[in-house]
Structures are given as structure tokens and as C-alpha cells.
Amino acid sequence: MAAETVRLSFPLPQVARIEFARPDRANSLRPSELEALHRCLDVAEARPEVHVLVITGAGRYFSAGFDLASLVERTRGAVAAEQLQSDFERLANRIEATRLITLAAINGPAIGGATDLALACDLRIGSEHTAMTMPAASFGLPLYASALRRFATRLGLTQAKWLVLTAAPLDANAMLTAGFLSEVVAADRFEERVSALTGRLASMPGGTLSAMKRALNAASPGWDDSAAQRAHRTLVDAVDGDLIAKRIADAVAQRNS
């Protein structure tokens, strides 16, 4: 599973962790890494007990996006450029749509396509060393449609246009202000915070979280009415009265103890 460049682990029975592991190349992603990421998702999604996925990077970078040498090699001609775009889009769209609750633990700079992989995740936190930039426009490479949708819906149209059309960089605090991140954490507490958040998600009923994720996705711009109807059906199917009653009773008992 290209273990040397993409690592999959299970720190808790309910949690899968994917780590970009090319720190000597800023965790840049070649076609082989994109394929390995799909295989990692296959394994994680096949485990019914897993309902949380953490995506992070080894070393100083989250990911520098598509490997520049591969980018040059694969963008010689319209067909190659189109294939490059579709590879990244397919992966980002899959991350967005997976039943797993996804957390981008952005430990360092996220560049290019890696920013879209992060935006495709449900939750995003960053260390104080986090930064982002989307340089596609400066290369003359138009972003694929779903990436533009994610920038616009996650960050707002004005902010999305600024970041995409000017290739402007943002540091961690600016990413927080823009809504790219929900939280910025000191570097020496980052892994502790990631573990605490994943533990909290792991303790919640996975079916309920997944159903609410689908409904939230369906309520955002860019999703059609049929998606909303399917999401509503999933919400109804996720109701487990006995489980709800037990967890409420446990919470009350804990509060009163």
C-alpha cells in the first residue's frame, strides 16, 4: 500500500489515520500516492466499526499538493492536464462524500491541491505553523469545478475569489479568520488536541454522525434535491430509540454524580 509514502493506522478501533509520508518532498503527491490514498480509504471504509478518519502529514508540511515534477510531466497537452485534474477531483470528492467523519489535522503548510483535500474534510484544525496557498492560477492551470465549489461554499465567494484568483497566501491566524480552520493550536499541543478531538468523535454513535453529515452536505449549495431526500431518509433510518435513551440516561447520571 505504498507504506513508505502513505501510511494508514488505526489509533482507536473507531478511528483511521492517513498520513502523507514524503517529508523530504514536503509530502507532495504523485499519481502513485493518489492511488494509495484510495486504497487506504477502501480499507478504512470496509471496517464497520471505523467512523472517524484523520488526514495529516509527517514532518513540517501537511502537503505541498501535486508533485511538481509529475505536474510538469503530466500537463504536456490538454488530455494529460485533464487527467491530472480528474485524479485529484475524484479523490477530493470521495473524501467529501465518505460516510466517515473526516478531520484534516493540518500540521504545516498546505499548498495547491492539498488545500482542496483539506476543504473536502468535515473538520479542519491547524497548528500555529499552518499556512495555505492555491497557486494554480499562477501556473495557468484552471481549478476543477468541485474545488471551486468547495472554496466558495466553505469560505464565501469574496474570499474564494481572492485566494484562487490572486494565489494569495494565508498564515494560520488568517486561515482561522477566513473560516478555513476552526481552531489553531500551539505546535507542542497539536497532536494532543488531535487525539482529544478524535477521541470525542470516536465516542459518539457513528451512524448518527454519518447521517447528519450527509444532511449537512445536502443542505449546502451545489447539492441537488435528490441528495437532500436521500439524506433525510438516512436521518430517519439512523434513529435508534434505545441507544438514545441509554446515552441520555448515562449523561444525566454522570452530571449528577
Side-chain angles (χ1 to χ4, degrees), residues 68 71 111-112 133-143 161-169:
L68 289 181
L71 181 65
I111 301 171
T133 185
M134 170 48 79
S138 63
F139 299 148
L141 181 66
L143 274 181
K161 286 183 175 180
W162 178 258
L163 294 174
V164 171
L165 301 182
T166 72

Side-chain angles (χ1 to χ4, degrees), residues 13 19 22 86-87 109 126 138 162 230 249 251 253:
E19 185 176 60
R22 294 183 74 207
S86 66
D87 287 348
S138 63
W162 178 258
R230 291 193 301 272

Side-chain angles (χ1 to χ4, degrees), residues 185-203:
V185 184
D188 60 357
R189 294 195 304 105
F190 184 67
E191 282 299 328
E192 176 186 353
R193 176 58 181 147
V194 171
S195 295
L197 183 53
T198 54
R200 179 174 178 79
L201 293 169
S203 73

Side-chain angles (χ1 to χ4, degrees), residues 54-57 62 102-108 110 118 121-131 172 175-176 179-186 189-198 201:
V54 179
I55 300 178
T56 193
F62 176 71
T102 49
L103 168 65
I106 309 175
N107 54 299
C121 290
D122 302 311
L123 308 169
R124 292 172 296 280
I125 64 172
S127 85
E128 60 190 328
H129 299 313
T130 299
M175 291 169 74
L176 182 66
F180 195 106
L181 299 174
S182 294
E183 187 176 348
V184 175
V185 184
R189 294 195 304 105
F190 184 67
E191 282 299 328
E192 176 186 353
R193 176 58 181 147
V194 171
S195 295
L197 183 53
T198 54
L201 293 169

Side-chain angles (χ1 to χ4, degrees), residues 32-176:
S32 59
E33 275 76 51
L34 299 184
E35 293 168 4
L37 287 163
H38 279 289
R39 293 195 294 272
C40 288
L41 285 166
D42 289 341
V43 173
E45 290 174 340
R47 295 195 179 193
E49 71 276 16
V50 172
H51 66 263
V52 180
L53 172 64
V54 179
I55 300 178
T56 193
R60 295 173 47 248
Y61 276 75
F62 176 71
S63 171
F66 208 89
D67 178 76
L68 289 181
S70 298
L71 181 65
V72 170
E73 179 182 341
R74 298 193 70 197
T75 53
R76 296 188 187 280
V79 174
E82 183 178 350
Q83 183 61 48
L84 169 67
Q85 294 280 52
S86 66
D87 287 348
F88 241 107
E89 183 168 27
R90 187 165 65 93
L91 178 62
N93 289 351
R94 182 176 180 183
I95 290 171
E96 182 177 43
T98 181
R99 68 169 178 84
L100 307 174
I101 306 304
T102 49
L103 168 65
I106 309 175
N107 54 299
I111 301 171
T115 65
D116 187 41
L117 297 185
L119 286 174
C121 290
D122 302 311
L123 308 169
R124 292 172 296 280
I125 64 172
S127 85
E128 60 190 328
H129 299 313
T130 299
M132 67 82 59
T133 185
M134 170 48 79
S138 63
F139 299 148
L141 181 66
L143 274 181
Y144 47 86
S146 63
L148 294 173
R149 171 180 58 79
R150 277 183 283 271
F151 266 87
T153 57
R154 271 54 162 186
L155 308 178
L157 185 59
T158 298
Q159 187 69 262
K161 286 183 175 180
W162 178 258
L163 294 174
V164 171
L165 301 182
T166 72
L170 294 183
D171 63 17
N173 289 328
M175 291 169 74
L176 182 66

